[in-house]
Amino acid sequence: FARGQRRFLGDVSHELCAPLARLQMALEVLAEDRTRPVRLAVAGNGRTSPDVLEQLGRVRDHDFREAVAGNWSAPAEVLVRLARDRIVRVRLAVADNPYAPPEAVEILMDDEQMFPIAAILDNPEAFGEVGLRHLAGSPFPRYRWAAAENPNTPPDVLDALASDVERVPGRYIGHWNPIRMAVAANPGTPVEVISRLATDDHADVRW
């Protein structure tokens, strides 16, 4: 019975994997298609194999590199390389990819030509303690805001950010949010820091 069960499970696994394999083979063929939009669609397809994405991520046309950079299935080493791409849009696509590895995200943190806020907000687990301390010490207020609202930011860093006087653009035109507001809303902020912010001069922080 056990042998028959293993054979059955093996057959089921084969049947489930076969369609995916056929799809990837089809995408490999389409990656060589003469029509640019077709090849571009392959670069952005989450079923495209890592080897094909590696190749498309090296194409001179930056639209292909951008599509690969935003592909959730792109290999980590490809995203790390594209995080250093000369085209801002490509780097921004890496930043917007929630599966960007920590190494790629940390490369982008030093990028003065863009703000990878999407990656910071959508993928908080990408940052270890070193990365979060790096963010908190950034000259860019948006990065410090990202550290202030990240639930993994160390308590001593949140304590320091609770004294930050800078603001970042809010949801509405002309509305600015103090970085201290993010600290106050962070579930990891120490009680004593919350108590201090409860008497803050800014109403948005106290609220």
Side-chain angles (χ1 to χ4, degrees), residues 109-112 115 135 138-145 179:
M109 284 196 301
D110 290 325
D111 195 329
E112 296 183 4
F115 297 96
L135 276 181
S138 170
F140 301 110
R142 288 193 180 190
Y143 287 147
R144 300 203 303 277
W145 170 278
I179 290 175

Side-chain angles (χ1 to χ4, degrees), residues 2-200:
R3 182 180 301 173
Q5 187 180 47
R6 286 196 297 271
R7 184 187 307 163
F8 171 75
L9 291 175
D11 291 343
V12 169
S13 176
H14 174 75
E15 291 301 319
L16 290 175
C17 292
L20 176 58
R22 288 197 294 269
L23 176 59
Q24 289 187 332
M25 290 178 61
L27 288 169
E28 287 182 17
V29 173
L30 292 174
E32 303 293 333
D33 195 274
R34 290 187 175 186
T35 307
R36 182 177 182 275
V38 172
R39 300 195 309 276
L40 199 56
V42 173
N45 192 308
R47 298 292 189 179
T48 301
S49 70
D51 289 343
V52 173
L53 290 175
E54 162 70 28
Q55 295 171 13
L56 293 173
R58 294 183 180 276
V59 173
R60 179 173 297 183
D61 186 334
H62 65 77
D63 284 342
F64 285 87
R65 301 199 305 277
E66 181 182 357
V68 172
N71 192 319
W72 289 11
S73 298
E77 60 273 17
V78 172
L79 294 177
V80 170
R81 186 182 73 248
L82 294 175
R84 296 189 175 95
D85 198 275
R86 63 185 181 83
I87 302 297
V88 174
R89 280 171 44 196
V90 175
R91 302 197 304 272
L92 184 59
V94 176
D96 199 31
N97 190 327
Y99 292 97
E103 185 179 351
V105 177
E106 294 204 9
I107 290 170
L108 294 169
M109 284 196 301
D110 290 325
D111 195 329
E112 296 183 4
Q113 295 185 10
M114 57 167 292
F115 297 96
I117 301 304
I120 294 169
L121 298 182
D122 293 344
N123 193 14
E125 297 300 327
F127 290 90
E129 180 176 343
V130 173
L132 288 167
R133 290 184 183 277
H134 190 154
L135 276 181
S138 170
F140 301 110
R142 288 193 180 190
Y143 287 147
R144 300 203 303 277
W145 170 278
E149 70 174 1
N150 191 303
N152 299 321
T153 298
D156 65 299
V157 175
L158 291 172
D159 189 1
L161 289 170
S163 300
D164 198 311
V165 298
E166 292 285 352
R167 300 179 299 171
V168 298
R171 181 175 299 179
Y172 309 107
I173 296 176
H175 183 246
W176 292 76
N177 295 327
I179 290 175
R180 302 188 307 283
M181 178 179 166
V183 177
N186 192 318
T189 300
V191 174
E192 59 273 18
V193 176
I194 293 293
S195 299
R196 190 167 77 241
L197 292 174
T199 59
D200 194 272

